[in-house]
Amino acid sequence: MSVFDAGLEDRLRAVHDRIVAACERAGRASESVRLLAVSKRHSVDAIRVAYALGQREFGENYVKELGQKADALRDLPDLKLHLIGRLQSNKVKDVVRLGCAVDTVDTLSLAQALDTRAKSEGRAIDVLVQVNIGEEPQKAGAVPSDVPQLMAAMRVLSALRVGGLLAIPPAVDDPEQSRSHFRRMRALAQACGVRELSMGMSDDLEVAIEEGATVVRVGTAIFGPRPT
Ligand SMILES: *Cc1c(COP(=O)(O)O)cnc(C)c1O
């Protein structure tokens, strides 16, 4: 595949336009929101196309896929990969070796394992704390009431740069239904004294930006439907 994909170019531009429009409505500077392109199950070539169009941050859900893509894309300067899926403790050393950001830290033991491993490799790792904002039993993330204490306990972990919080609110039909969750996330970030708020996806990025998202994680709207 050549580094030309008119569909992807149009879709990426459309997502940028949506971000700018939402920022305008919310009275925010458009630079206050970063786009994380969620490339899970999409090809390395698709990532290269997005990269050629200026996209630098990409999110993946599985450590194995993340590692394969990181290896295949080593030649791209300032590519920043994020793990946005669950991290099992036996994969900690793999993500630390890759040097990618981990946006889904949700327990102190996982944070400690990352910190210990990062120190042993002389690295610092960017992390976010994942919050189970809808308190859904099947979902990963710390429950909101535990977050301030978890964040406080993580402050001594000097190899972790804790930027803020990530949330995936419960699935809904109408993005408006997520607004109250996003609003509570912002209050939680303020209470914890952190800035970064990763929230909002293809269907609800506008509401998330209106409520204070600093990162939106967008897959389908950029890359199209995920191959199965
Ligand atoms: C897949 C995924 C996304 C992107 O979802 P889209 O609806 O395709 O934009 C965002 N965040 C997380 C954590 C994901 O797993």
Side-chain angles (χ1 to χ4, degrees), residues 38 40 61 84 168 201-202 217-220 226:
V38 179
K40 63 183 177 209
N61 285 55
I84 58 168
I168 310 166
M201 313 199 288
S202 290
R217 306 179 309 269
V218 179
T220 311
R226 281 181 277 279

Side-chain angles (χ1 to χ4, degrees), residues 4-175:
F4 179 75
D5 178 336
L8 201 153
E9 181 167 8
D10 289 347
R11 289 190 301 265
L12 185 59
R13 188 178 302 117
V15 169
H16 279 296
D17 290 347
R18 287 174 61 191
I19 292 171
V20 169
C23 285
E24 271 170 18
R25 271 200 308 280
R28 299 181 55 189
S30 53
E31 308 80 61
S32 67
V33 179
R34 278 159 39 229
L35 175 60
L36 179 70
V38 179
S39 45
K40 63 183 177 209
R41 305 218 300 269
H42 290 286
S43 68
V44 163
D45 287 332
I47 296 176
R48 286 190 183 276
V49 173
Y51 183 92
L53 295 166
Q55 181 63 34
R56 290 293 178 271
E57 294 186 85
F58 295 86
E60 289 286 336
N61 285 55
Y62 297 101
V63 175
K64 188 174 171 206
E65 187 175 350
L66 182 67
Q68 287 165 344
K69 285 175 171 166
D71 286 340
L73 296 167
R74 254 177 222 302
D75 58 305
L76 301 183
D78 24 273
L79 179 75
K80 175 95 183 177
L81 298 174
H82 294 246
L83 180 68
I84 58 168
R86 198 184 284 257
L87 175 58
Q88 282 160 339
S89 56
N90 62 340
K91 300 277 168 62
V92 162
K93 68 173 187 319
D94 296 333
V95 287
V96 170
R97 181 185 57 83
L98 293 169
C100 65
V102 180
D103 294 354
T104 49
V105 173
D106 59 357
T107 63
L108 186 57
S109 61
L110 179 59
Q112 286 166 334
L114 278 166
D115 180 69
T116 301
R117 189 73 202 181
K119 279 175 181 147
S120 78
E121 299 214 1
R123 281 183 189 268
I125 303 285
D126 291 318
V127 303
L128 299 179
V129 167
Q130 182 175 0
V131 181
N132 185 356
I133 191 66
E135 305 198 34
E136 298 168 276
Q138 80 285 7
K139 230 178 223 176
V143 295
S145 57
D146 288 348
V147 171
Q149 213 183 353
L150 173 59
M151 301 283 282
M154 285 171 65
R155 243 164 245 146
V156 301
L157 305 176
S158 58
L160 303 187
R161 293 187 290 244
V162 187
L165 308 176
L166 171 145
I168 310 166
V172 289
D173 296 324
D174 175 359

